[in-house]
Amino acid sequence: MDSKSVDAGRGVNWWTDSWALFMKNPGMWIVLGLVVIVIGVVLNFVPFIGGLAFALVMPAFIGSWMLAARKLEGGGTLEVGDLFLGFQGQQLTPLLVLGALSLAASAVVFVIMGVFGFGAVMGMGVGAGMHSGMGALAAMGAGLIGLLVGLALFVPITMAFWFAPALVVFDGVAPVDAIKASFAACLRNVMPFLVYGVLGLVASVIASIPFGLGWIVLLPLMGLTVYLSYRDIYGR
């Protein structure tokens, strides 16, 4: 689980190297991405439990993506069945545990945001009832603070789960240890991840311009950046 610190410029290379790996079989990567999207849409039609189920199995899909990327990089042929590699063998259970832990962490953040949001709504109602413009503005400010707090809390959650599926499928690391190791690795590489994030933001804007169609390419590419950043920082 030993990770290393890399130069800030590697944040650029994660995108360029991922693009090169994507172009080895762009059609199949797009198909795999669309399959995941369709599965997510179908599950979300199931009230309440559908979305939870999709979130629970997401680390297994990410683990499959990691294994598929390594297979293609090693000269193998990409297949639709590769999308379910993470659902096979003993690695499935720890990947599902990662999904459950991610759900729990996200739920805590949403509760915190909900508390701020509820307070903001109540404050706006009281302010309006008392014809107090300042009270309503203060309540809106509280709601904005809640949103910012929620976004800030999702950053460490993302750090904790960024490398976790890869550590499980490639190194057999236990879920909690994988989360700790992922957070430590991301913390050790704040600068390259900052560069990576800025480029990702630009790519997201561009992908959203043509009716969001660019996300058909960007989503698979983002999955590959997780693999390339893992390989770079962990050296394997």
Side-chain angles (χ1 to χ4, degrees):
M1 292 189 294
D2 292 336
S3 60
K4 63 181 180 180
S5 178
V6 299
D7 294 335
R10 297 303 300 171
V12 178
N13 294 105
W14 296 341
W15 285 108
T16 56
D17 293 348
S18 294
W19 179 256
L21 185 56
F22 175 82
M23 290 305 295
K24 284 189 174 184
N25 198 336
M28 185 55 69
W29 282 123
I30 290 175
V31 168
L32 294 180
L34 289 175
V35 171
V36 175
I37 292 173
V38 169
I39 291 174
V41 171
V42 171
L43 284 176
N44 275 282
F45 273 113
V46 181
F48 186 68
I49 62 172
L52 295 178
F54 186 62
L56 185 67
V57 300
M58 182 52 67
F61 279 121
I62 296 174
S64 300
W65 208 269
M66 302 299 100
L67 292 167
R70 176 159 290 184
K71 176 185 178 182
L72 182 62
E73 189 180 42
T77 302
L78 205 58
E79 302 170 332
V80 174
D82 294 335
L83 189 58
F84 304 97
L85 291 173
F87 292 82
Q88 303 171 12
Q90 298 180 346
Q91 59 196 0
L92 176 58
T93 298
L95 288 172
L96 292 179
V97 172
L98 282 180
L101 293 173
S102 176
L103 267 173
S106 299
V108 171
V109 175
F110 282 124
V111 168
I112 294 173
M113 294 176 66
V115 170
F116 277 95
F118 179 77
V121 171
M122 291 296 293
M124 290 179 68
V126 172
M130 297 178 63
H131 304 288
S132 173
M134 292 300 295
L137 288 175
M140 292 176 62
L144 178 60
I145 291 174
L147 176 63
L148 294 176
V149 168
L151 292 175
L153 289 175
F154 272 116
V155 171
I157 291 176
T158 302
M159 294 168 62
F161 288 92
W162 186 263
F163 293 122
L167 288 167
V168 168
V169 299
F170 291 138
D171 303 297
V173 181
V176 175
D177 292 333
I179 290 171
K180 293 178 181 178
S182 176
F183 182 82
C186 291
L187 192 62
R188 191 174 290 119
N189 290 276
V190 170
M191 290 309 298
F193 272 110
L194 181 61
V195 173
Y196 166 86
V198 171
L199 293 176
L201 181 60
V202 174
S204 298
V205 173
I206 295 174
S208 301
I209 292 175
F211 307 102
L213 295 177
W215 283 95
I216 296 175
V217 173
L218 185 57
L219 283 176
L221 191 63
M222 289 176 68
L224 293 177
T225 63
V226 178
Y227 170 71
L228 269 298
S229 59
Y230 163 83
R231 194 191 65 176
D232 193 16
I233 289 175
Y234 283 91
R236 51 184 181 271

